[in-house]
Amino acid sequence: MGYYDEQDYQGRYKPQKSRKSGFFWASLAGAVIGALLVIFSIPLLSNLDVLPYKIEPKNQTAVTDEEPSEEGQEDSTAKKNLSIDVYSQITEAVDKAGDAVVGISNIQESTNFWGQTQESGGTGSGVVYKKDGDKAYIVTNHHVVAEASSLEVSLSDGTKLPAKLLGSDIWTDLAVLEVPADQIKVIAEFGNSDKLKPGEPVIAIGNPLGLTFSGSVTQGIISGLERAIPVDVNQDGTPDWQAEVLQTDAAINPGNSGGALVNIEGQVIGINSMKIAQNAVEGIGLSIPINYAAPIIEDLEKTGEVKRPFMGVELASVNEISSYHQGNTLKLPKEINYGVAIRGVEPNSPADKAGLKEYDVIVDMDGEEIRDVVDLRKHLYNKKKVGDEMQVKYYRNGQLEETTMTLGGETL
């Protein structure tokens, strides 16, 4: 039965059309109106630049050279040229420390067959760390200044100054120079390398490949702390020392040696020293921690040398001696295949006064096991001072003995 809502002229109710037909006509009308709205709005939408979001860079200022349009009008074809002033913690750190890093030229003179003087040499980097009266002081690497006939320092503005070598230390690869202070404007600030963490950002500043690339800046992170790198001081193929260094992936190339490794605050936390250069190796640079370097720098500045404890012995690592001589010459027990053999003792030296002799094998100092010459030097140079007493355990004719030694004031 149909729906009835209204009456006809005879007063009878007449049926209304089904509601389904009403819905149909209403939907059709809505679709037509919607289509018309889309068609008429397309031209308006084409004039709008619609972006999902906009990023405003931190600490950056955007400047446009576009002429302002008249009120109520927009030029849809105008192109905006933006000039961004980037200023970050990295640029602030470089601004703070960059001019304190200088170039160092190692000038070496030689005379040829005809009696003519020739000059040659290399270049490296250095860091101005102190200014006192009319003098300024620069720290660099020992290998940068080694065998120099004269030294010259190049400042960031191109000024060249004659430099005097105050002291150099082969064991730590550090050296200190003195220059006139009147042209020195910026002094580096030392940080605290003991508080560094792996992953912390750092910046290397120096002169890679010579003065042509002076003031180069590379960025990286602290890749490792307290790395022990064997160093062959006398170039005989056997390590004489272990350098305690920081590892970084900031690019360090020849000429960067002696330059600064700085933290994000622009403080020097390391003196760049070397990189591991092998075909299969990439991104391993090494730097001397500034806390380790600071007392060496102070000694070199004041006295021209580093005063280290003196034993008065000539040494050889047991692991470099054949098993035949370990057993027959040194007479070591079979289970002892480590230690440091004494090859010679200087008369009236601390070792001589302590009763040590040729062929004795040192295996312990102050309760610390000594496996080779590097261990002995690390204990002697890093943990003892001139005048200190040291307990030494050693093997003689197969028997373990002990003595007390009062250390003198010369190397070994």
Side-chain angles (χ1 to χ4, degrees):
M1 181 174 68
Y3 292 97
Y4 294 87
D5 326 272
E6 56 186 65
Q7 295 178 326
D8 60 11
Y9 63 93
Q10 295 178 341
R12 296 176 298 181
Y13 286 99
K14 64 179 181 180
Q16 189 183 36
K17 295 180 181 179
S18 172
R19 288 186 178 181
K20 290 184 179 179
S21 62
F23 290 156
F24 171 77
W25 290 109
S27 299
L28 180 61
V32 171
I33 294 172
L36 291 173
L37 288 173
V38 171
I39 292 171
F40 285 110
S41 61
I42 285 175
L44 295 174
L45 290 173
S46 65
N47 290 329
L48 298 177
D49 293 329
V50 181
L51 295 174
Y53 56 85
K54 182 179 181 181
I55 299 176
E56 292 290 349
K58 185 179 179 182
N59 296 331
Q60 297 181 355
T61 304
V63 181
T64 177
D65 58 3
E66 179 187 6
E67 292 294 333
S69 59
E70 295 181 4
E71 185 176 356
Q73 295 181 354
E74 290 189 16
D75 183 0
S76 63
T77 63
K79 295 182 179 179
K80 297 180 179 180
N81 297 321
L82 297 178
S83 174
I84 299 176
D85 182 14
V86 179
Y87 207 73
S88 66
Q89 281 186 288
I90 293 176
T91 59
E92 289 176 358
V94 174
D95 284 347
K96 179 178 179 179
D99 286 347
V101 179
V102 299
I104 297 176
S105 297
N106 179 328
I107 302 170
Q108 299 178 7
E109 295 182 355
S110 60
T111 304
N112 63 18
F113 177 78
W114 307 106
Q116 297 172 325
T117 300
Q118 297 175 321
E119 289 188 355
S120 62
T123 58
S125 305
V127 181
V128 183
Y129 70 90
K130 180 179 178 181
K131 189 174 178 179
D132 185 11
D134 60 350
K135 298 177 181 178
Y137 301 91
I138 298 169
V139 58
T140 185
N141 287 147
H142 164 81
H143 73 264
V144 169
V145 300
E147 300 180 1
S149 300
S150 61
L151 295 163
E152 187 175 71
V153 167
S154 299
L155 306 184
S156 58
D157 62 0
T159 302
K160 296 185 182 300
L161 303 173
K164 175 184 177 182
L165 177 63
L166 294 183
S168 186
D169 183 50
I170 193 172
W171 298 103
T172 56
D173 195 26
L174 291 169
V176 171
L177 309 182
E178 177 187 290
V179 295
D182 55 336
Q183 300 291 326
I184 302 296
K185 308 299 181 185
V186 179
I187 307 299
E189 176 186 347
F190 285 175
N192 187 349
S193 57
D194 290 342
K195 292 187 176 181
L196 293 172
K197 298 179 180 179
E200 181 175 338
V202 289
I203 306 155
I205 308 176
N207 308 303
L209 308 180
L211 299 179
T212 302
F213 297 96
S214 63
S216 289
V217 177
T218 55
Q219 182 190 7
I221 61 171
I222 292 293
S223 305
L225 303 170
E226 299 179 353
R227 299 299 197 209
I229 304 298
V231 178
D232 183 4
V233 173
N234 56 10
Q235 302 297 311
D236 64 353
T238 302
D240 303 294
W241 181 246
Q242 276 190 332
E244 301 291 337
V245 294
L246 304 171
Q247 178 189 340
T248 178
D249 65 348
I252 297 176
N253 294 291
N256 272 112
S257 294
L261 190 70
V262 305
N263 61 16
I264 204 67
E265 298 296 328
Q267 299 169 325
V268 177
I269 46 84
I271 303 299
N272 298 327
S273 182
M274 66 187 90
K275 69 176 291 186
I276 296 179
Q278 298 177 6
N279 292 334
V281 176
E282 183 176 350
I284 298 182
L286 305 173
S287 185
I288 304 167
I290 201 63
N291 286 22
Y292 177 75
I296 307 297
I297 295 170
E298 184 177 0
D299 282 350
L300 293 175
E301 177 191 327
K302 292 181 177 180
T303 67
E305 61 180 354
V306 179
K307 293 188 179 297
R308 292 190 173 92
F310 167 67
M311 292 175 59
V313 289
E314 185 180 353
L315 305 173
S317 297
V318 168
N319 57 23
E320 299 171 6
I321 299 172
S322 69
S323 58
Y324 173 83
H325 286 293
Q326 288 181 21
N328 293 278
T329 304
L330 301 179
K331 296 181 172 55
L332 288 172
K334 291 183 179 180
E335 68 273 15
I336 303 299
N337 59 359
Y338 64 91
V340 178
I342 296 178
R343 298 173 59 182
V345 178
E346 293 186 18
N348 297 318
S349 66
D352 185 31
K353 293 176 181 178
L356 293 177
K357 298 179 179 180
E358 184 181 13
Y359 301 140
D360 288 348
V361 177
I362 297 172
V363 293
D364 186 286
M365 288 180 169
D366 297 324
E368 180 177 313
E369 185 178 78
I370 303 298
R371 300 195 65 85
D372 53 27
V373 171
V374 172
D375 281 353
L376 186 147
R377 285 195 175 107
K378 284 177 63 179
H379 182 86
L380 191 64
Y381 295 165
N382 295 344
K383 299 182 179 181
K384 309 301 290 186
K385 296 180 180 179
V386 176
D388 285 353
E389 288 190 347
M390 182 171 67
Q391 300 299 315
V392 179
K393 291 182 180 180
Y394 61 96
Y395 278 95
R396 176 182 292 171
N397 295 323
Q399 300 297 316
L400 184 63
E401 301 187 22
E402 184 173 352
T403 187
T404 300
M405 181 186 306
T406 301
L407 296 170
E410 297 178 20
T411 302
L412 283 186

